[in-house]
Amino acid sequence: MRLESIFIAEAAGEPMQSRSEIEAVHGGLEGDRYCTGRGYYSPFDVCEATFVQAEALDEIRTQPTIELENGEHRRNFVVRGGDVHDLLNCRFSLGGAVFEGTRLRPPCRHVEQVAGEDGLMRALSDGCGGICARVAEPGTVRLGDEIEGIEEMGNFEGLVASIKDRVGR
């Protein structure tokens, strides 16, 4: 998968800004609303970084009533050439940073309201909303970087069950 676009917003509801590179730091992406605690869902539902497939956005753009220009999807990284769902429960590098895919990022009504695009939430709901990832190791990420070194981390629930078995609970 190759990085096609980078977007951040400085605060909740502000337009997404396109970048050619970004610093991934502990806690998120430098200057992004969730890294600084100024996101709409801060501090309750924070994704340090979000990934979405370019192909999914291309499909949504075929709908005559929805336009997705300039980051209206409210996701940080747009990648092409693979399925972002394959990054869930995995550790992977992008540019000089290392991320861990943590969970799905379903869309919410807020995305639709900010974008002013009726139907956007439903369009992103069908597996097109992307994923959340944690910054495991900081570094610089640039347009054109490739996702590499994908390593499965295992299932967290399985880890909890294993620990319970070891302690006899």
Side-chain angles (χ1 to χ4, degrees):
M1 287 179 261
R2 180 180 300 274
L3 183 60
E4 191 170 275
S5 303
I6 302 170
F7 294 100
I8 64 165
E10 292 179 3
E14 289 190 10
M16 297 295 274
Q17 302 167 11
S18 179
R19 304 287 174 153
S20 60
E21 68 178 51
I22 191 95
E23 289 297 317
V25 298
H26 288 296
L29 303 177
E30 194 170 83
D32 187 59
R33 63 211 182 275
Y34 286 105
C35 188
T36 61
R38 297 174 60 202
Y40 183 76
Y41 291 107
S42 292
F44 307 107
D45 183 18
V46 177
C47 280
E48 291 184 1
T50 51
F51 288 76
V52 67
Q53 285 173 232
E55 293 87 350
L57 299 178
D58 292 344
E59 181 64 30
I60 291 169
R61 286 185 188 104
T62 66
Q63 299 178 27
T65 60
I66 298 178
E67 293 182 30
L68 280 180
E69 303 304 320
N70 304 314
E72 282 94 351
H73 45 74
R74 311 293 290 176
R75 303 300 185 256
N76 302 120
F77 295 124
V78 180
V79 296
R80 184 173 295 279
D83 187 343
V84 294
H85 298 99
D86 291 343
L87 303 174
L88 287 172
N89 296 315
C90 290
R91 188 176 175 97
F92 57 93
S93 63
L94 178 62
V98 176
F99 296 88
E100 294 174 348
T102 57
R103 63 186 172 93
L104 294 174
R105 185 59 175 175
C108 62
R109 180 74 56 202
H110 179 67
V111 168
E112 195 168 281
Q113 292 168 341
V114 171
E117 294 284 346
D118 290 336
L120 179 58
M121 186 176 92
R122 180 177 299 142
L124 286 170
S125 292
D126 297 329
C128 298
I131 67 164
C132 294
R134 183 181 82 77
V135 177
E137 296 177 24
T140 304
V141 176
R142 294 181 177 86
L143 291 180
D145 285 346
E146 299 247 1
I147 291 177
E148 300 175 323
I150 301 171
E151 248 177 66
E152 285 191 38
M153 295 186 313
N155 184 322
F156 180 73
E157 290 175 11
L159 178 62
V160 170
S162 172
I163 291 170
K164 285 182 179 179
D165 286 344
R166 278 188 259 157
V167 296
R169 294 184 185 191

